[in-house]
Structures are given as C-alpha cells and as structure tokens.
RNA sequence: GCACCCGUAGCUCAGCUGGAUAGAGCGUUGGCUUGCGGAGCCAAAGGUCGUAGGUUCGAAUCCUGUCGGGUGUACCA
C-alpha cells in the first residue's frame, strides 16, 4: 500500500505540480479493485475540468509509474480510480503478514486505567476499563511504544472513612486482632466483608447525623495515619491490613482476567502531598484562586465550570489528588504520551483539571490524552446476590458469562474469558455497551468463541496435513486471492487501531477475515487438492494472523477447543 | 438553565479523516448435507441513517435548529 501510495503521489505531482493535493488512497470493495482514490473528483473542482477526464490522465500516468506492480486500473462512477494490484505484489505482503507498523516507535507511553478504590468493590466499569486499557497498552507496545501501565486508586478520602467507620462498628472498636475472625481468611470473603462495611458506613452517613460526624472525624484520622506514617496504632493497623486485603483482591482479579500486570500503583495517599503542594504553588501564581474558604480553579473563564481543589477544611479533593498524580507520572516517566482511560462521566471534570494544569505546564497537557468510555449494561437485568446497593459488579458479568457458557455446554475458562473480552471490545469506545451473556458465548456469529473456533479449525487442518510441504504461491486463483487480499489488510488495521486508540477495528477485521476464510474453505479443497502446498501455506498464515490479532485483544487462541 | 456524549434493519453493532447500490451478526424464510471440525456456505425479506434545514458536484459522516435518551454542573469520587 505504501508503495502504491507513493506512486500515486508521484503521478499527481508530475501532472499537476502547482497543486498541493493529498494522494488519498483507500481500500475499496473487492468488486471494484483493491484500492481506490477519489483525487480526480477533488481535482476537478480546482482545475475546472471533468473528473473523468482527469481520471483518465492520472490512470495513464500511474500505469507508467507503477508498471508491473499493478494489474489493472479502471475508472468508475463519477471519476473514481480503482486499482487492482498484481498477484505477485499481493503475494509479497504475505511475507510480513503479522508485521506491525511501528507508529509509536521511540515513544514512552504511560497508560492509566482500571483505577479501583481500596475498601470498595469492583464494578463493571472497572472490568471494562481494565480490559480496554490492557488492549490499548498491548496495541501500543506492539506498534513500537515503550508502554508503562499504571493504576490509581483512592486509599484516602470520604469513601475510605465510610468503610473504616463500618469496619470499626463490626469490630466493636479499634481491635485489629479481631479482624481475621470478622473478615475470614480468604481473599473473597475479605473483599465481601469490606464492601459490606462500606455499605454500612455509607448508609449511616446518609441517614444518621451523629454517624456522619464520626465519619468526618475518621476521614481526618486516615489522613493523619499517612501524615505521621503511623503503622503502630490500633487504628492504623486496621487501616493498613484492610488496604492490603483490597490490593490482594485486585491483583487476583487482574490475574483471573489474564491482563498484563501493572507496573506501578499510585495510591491517592501518595499523590496527595504532591497535589496539595502544586496547587498551593500555583495558587500563589494565580492559576488557582480562593473562594469561600476553598481553593478553586475558575473554569468559567475557559467555558468550563469551576471546581474545588482544596476544600474549606484544608483537605484536598479528587482534583488536587489528580494534579498530584499527573505531576508524579511526569516525574517518574517524562512520557511522550499519557493516556488516561476512564468512564465518560468525568470528561467535564477532566477538562477542568487539564485546563488548570495547562496554565502552568502546557507541555504536560499537550501530551495527555483522556479516553472516555460508556457504561456497561447487561441484558436480562442483574442477579442481585445477597447484597444491598445497586450497580452492576464485575463479578455479576463474569458470573453471567460462566453460567451462559455452562448452559451452552462450554465450561472452558479460556472460552468464557474470550467471550467477555470480545463482547466488551468489539464496540467502539465511547458509547454504552449492552452485554448479552448468551450471545457472547455463542459459537455462531460475531463472538470471541467463534474466532477461537475459527482459529482451532484452521490449526486442525494443518495438524491433519502434518508432514506435508507448504509453499508460498507464485500465482493465485480467485478464491485464494480474496483470502490473501483480506490478510494483506491486517497491518493497516493494526495501524488504524493504534493511531485511533480504538481496538474494535481489530475485532471487526478479524471477524471479516474469518468470514472470508470460511467462504474460501467452503468452495476450495485444501488437503488433497493439486494446490495443496500453496493452500496449506495460506491456511497457516491465516491462522497466524488470527492468533496474532486475538493476542492483541488479550484473547488466547488455543489449537483445540 | 448551561455543557458534553449518544440516536443507523425487530435486537446487538460496524460504517463517522464527506464519495460509488448504507454493511455484519442474532432473529425470520428458503436452499446446500456420505462434510479437509456444517460451530459452515448460498440466498431472500427487513433501513426516508431521530427530525428539519444548511454547506458541497456529492452528507449516515461536516454546520445549525429541533425532538428523544444519558451524564456532568463548588467543597463526593
């Protein structure tokens, strides 16, 4: 494609040297050709001539330049130029079938996602952002980026105070020695216990003024634990133990999902001092201002809204902590690009924080990119186990997937994981996702298990022909050509997914590829055919592309299902 | 009120850097079956791309209005 693109550009500049026009080349429908360009249509207006006339001129020029690399060039419709490359040219793409364009070469990229809060449960949002973040990180790494995965979470703040208050109620006071008895000795019972304590605290906070006052006091106490680096007091021992339990639970979650582990975890307690310091410095510089006893950023000046960074009690809000996080990431990595992946409910919030930082470190904002996604909903409602509160949990989705898989007769862990991952990744990032467990585990249609099956099927053809020779084609028949043509798109798709940070392009492509292969396979014999050696080679390459693509999506491609 | 996001076939989604008859899957209807894994293939029905304007040779795609849904809007995260 690059070669053809250069040839087209050359043809344009040679014919119309005075015009500065982009040589746009795109993939087109197979019936038209391999590539198409609409430059003749664009030139028509500028030259005041008929588009088809220009197209003819360009076609002749391009034929001269491209020579053998092009099979035929046709003009269609209002003036599209359709180009079919030679079979030989197409075959050369097979040599680098899974090679990826190094679009992030030489760049240090920090990706932040997942962001669960210690002491609290993992919601679907955490599941989704974890998977999206993992895949985006994989794609950037595969395209040459030096990726650093980081995680952020609130180990201080009101929600922690609510949890701690609930914990103290359960323990009947500051009795760290009673923790194990109350919470149990395994990961899951402990995380359940912690989340029930949070619910208890949250409920009391809203219903009971006295409890609310106590929780506010606990909040301050948690900050003091950090300020004094207290690991000795009874209160501190409870706090640190429970915080550790939460982290253990998160780690187990990531492990279960088979995502790449995080390199660094930034707890809010760590980013807070940096945040406060930065905000105070910039308060003196006039970036932030005092208002009603609080430190705010006046976003209205920029068409945004005003937000509080340090509240009137002198405590930092999420805003200040986030400023601290960004500063620390910068100090730790001096990144070229920082990608933050969160739900889209905080886009406005993030704009305010970024705008405030832009006032004193514009370079930092320029290198930061906030990627926001929608909410995940599940068809058929949520099965509320034995808990209060609302909202879909990560386990609800995973449980539903497992149950659907079992009903479909697949209780393979890899298949279930593939089902969930693919279902959440196949839609464009941004909008809400409707998760249908039954559909996600189906082996028919656009699903993760279907692609795993497609891959396994190809591998089994190869296994059956073990010992037979494979050879690269020197020519292609129609069916083979369609398959090779589709495979040759792979690097372009990876490039697009990488540049746009949109993994769903990969899903769409892999599914289409499987369809093209199935069509080929239905109509062409592989084993036993006189073109067996060539076709086996194509099957092998197809299986490699599928495995490679699924790998970028964090989905295993086992040889057998 | 204001700001941001979303609105494409019955359902779930692609397509959005403007281009050729708007594509898939599920579901529905019909066909292929001694098959290299049929978990597939072939085909049909189904869409005034929320709606009204505008820009353009050309708009699902860009702009404006409008309707519907979601989210955010000072001391929560």
């Amino acid at each position: 494609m690059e070669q053809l693109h250069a040839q087209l550009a050359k043809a344009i500049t040679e014919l119309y040297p005075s015009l500065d026009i982009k040589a746009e080349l795109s993939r087109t429908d197979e019936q038209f050709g391999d590539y198409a360009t609409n430059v003749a249509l664009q030139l028509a207006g500028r030259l005041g001539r008929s588009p088809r006339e220009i197209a003819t001129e360009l076609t002749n020029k391009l034929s001269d330049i491209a020579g053998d690399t092009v099979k035929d060039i046709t003009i269609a419709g209002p003036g599209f130029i359709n180009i079919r490359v030679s079979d030989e040219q197409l075959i050369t793409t097979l040599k680098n079938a899974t090679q990826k364009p190094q679009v992030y070469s030489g760049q240090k990229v920090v990706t932040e996602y997942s962001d669960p809060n210690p002491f609290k449960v993992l919601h679907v949002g955490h599941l989704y952002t974890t998977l999206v973040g993992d895949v985006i990180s994989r794609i950037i790494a595969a395209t040459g980026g030096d990726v650093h995965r980081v995680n952020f979470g609130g180990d201080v703040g009101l929600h922690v105070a609510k949890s701690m208050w609930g914990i103290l109620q359960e323990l009947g006071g500051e009795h760290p020695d009673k923790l194990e008895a109350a919470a149990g000795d395994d990961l899951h019972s402990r995380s359940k216990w912690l989340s029930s304590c949070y619910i208890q605290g949250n409920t009391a906070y809203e219903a009971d003024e006295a409890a609310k006052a106590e929780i506010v006091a606990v909040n301050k106490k948690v900050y003091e634990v950090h300020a004094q680096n207290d690991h000795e007091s009874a209160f501190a021992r409870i706090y640190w133990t429970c915080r550790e339990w939460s982290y253990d639970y998160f780690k187990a979650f990531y492990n279960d999902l088979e995502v790449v582990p995080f390199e660094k975890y930034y707890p809010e307690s760590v980013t807070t001092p940096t945040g406060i310091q930065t905000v105070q410095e910039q308060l003196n510089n006039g970036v932030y201002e005092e208002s009603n006893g609080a430190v705010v950023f006046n976003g209205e000046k920029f068409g945004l809204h005003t937000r509080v960074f340090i509240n009137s009690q002198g405590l930092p809000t999420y805003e200040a902590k986030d400023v601290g996080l960004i500063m620390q990431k910068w100090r730790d990595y001096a990144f070229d690009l920082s990608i933050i992946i969160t739900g889209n409910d905080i886009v406005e919030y993030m704009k305010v924080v970024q705008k405030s930082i832009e006032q004193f470190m514009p370079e930092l904002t320029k290198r930061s990119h906030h990627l926001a996604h929608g909410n995940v909903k599940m068809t058929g409602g949520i099965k509320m186990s034995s808990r209060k509160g609302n909202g879909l949990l990560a386990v609800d989705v995973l449980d539903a997937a497992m149950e659907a898989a079992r009903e479909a007769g697949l209780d393979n862990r890899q298949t279930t994981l593939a089902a969930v991952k693919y279902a959440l990744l196949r839609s464009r990032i941004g909008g809400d996702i409707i998760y249908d467990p039954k559909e996600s585990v189906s082996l028919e249609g656009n699903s993760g298990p279907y692609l795993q099956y497609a891959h396994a099927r190809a591998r089994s053809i190869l296994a059956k022909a073990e010992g037979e020779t494979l050879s690269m084609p020197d020519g292609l028949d129609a069916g083979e050509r369609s398959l090779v043509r589709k495979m040759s798109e792979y690097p372009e798709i990876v490039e697009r997914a990488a540049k746009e940070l949109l993994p769903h392009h990969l899903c769409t492509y892999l599914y289409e590829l499987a369809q093209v292969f199935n069509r080929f396979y239905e109509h062409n014999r592989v084993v036993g055919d006189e073109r067996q050696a060539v076709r086996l080679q194509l099957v092998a390459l197809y299986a490699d592309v599928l495995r490679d693509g699924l790998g970028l999506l964090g989905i295993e491609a086992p040889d057998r299902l």
Side-chain angles (χ1 to χ4, degrees), chain A residues 100 102 104 109 135-147 149 552:
Chain A
K100 292 155 205 74
Q102 300 295 292
Y104 288 98
V109 183
V135 172
I136 284 180
S137 304
R138 285 175 196 257
I139 291 172
I140 294 171
T143 50
D146 172 20
V147 176
R149 298 150 183 261
L552 286 178

Side-chain angles (χ1 to χ4, degrees), chain A residues 128 374-378 423-425 427-428 431-435:
Chain A
Y128 185 45
N375 302 314
V376 178
K377 293 162 186 169
M378 190 155 68
L424 297 186
L425 293 168
S427 296
R428 188 187 185 92
D432 288 351
I433 306 269
I434 311 290
Y435 176 69

Side-chain angles (χ1 to χ4, degrees), chain A residues 161 387 544:
Chain A
R387 64 185 154 83
D544 288 346

Side-chain angles (χ1 to χ4, degrees), chain A residues 493-514:
Chain A
I493 300 295
V494 173
E495 180 174 11
R496 187 170 182 200
K499 280 183 176 166
E500 297 181 5
L501 301 174
L502 292 173
H504 79 283
H505 288 309
L506 221 38
C507 296
T508 307
Y509 169 77
L510 292 176
Y511 184 64
E512 285 171 2
L513 175 64

Side-chain angles (χ1 to χ4, degrees), chain A residues 150-168:
Chain A
V150 306
N151 204 338
F152 175 61
D155 63 338
V156 288
L158 197 60
H159 66 280
V160 176
K162 288 171 181 174
S163 294
M164 280 299 290
W165 185 87
I167 290 166
L168 295 175

Side-chain angles (χ1 to χ4, degrees), chain A residues 225-237:
Chain A
V225 166
H226 284 283
Q228 293 163 11
N229 198 19
D230 176 4
H231 284 75
E232 295 306 317
S233 74
F235 182 85
R237 278 161 63 204

Side-chain angles (χ1 to χ4, degrees), chain A residues 18 28 50 53-54 66 71 73 147 169-170 172 242 251 294 300 326 390 422 438 449 453 471 491 506 541-542:
Chain A
S18 58
T28 190
S50 108
E53 195 184 307
I54 296 164
K71 187 194 264 175
I73 308 178
V147 176
Q169 295 295 306
E170 287 293 306
C242 293
K251 264 182 216 155
E300 268 124 83
I326 293 164
N390 41 25
Y422 190 86
K438 205 175 159 193
Y453 173 74
S471 66
L506 221 38
L541 288 165
Y542 158 72

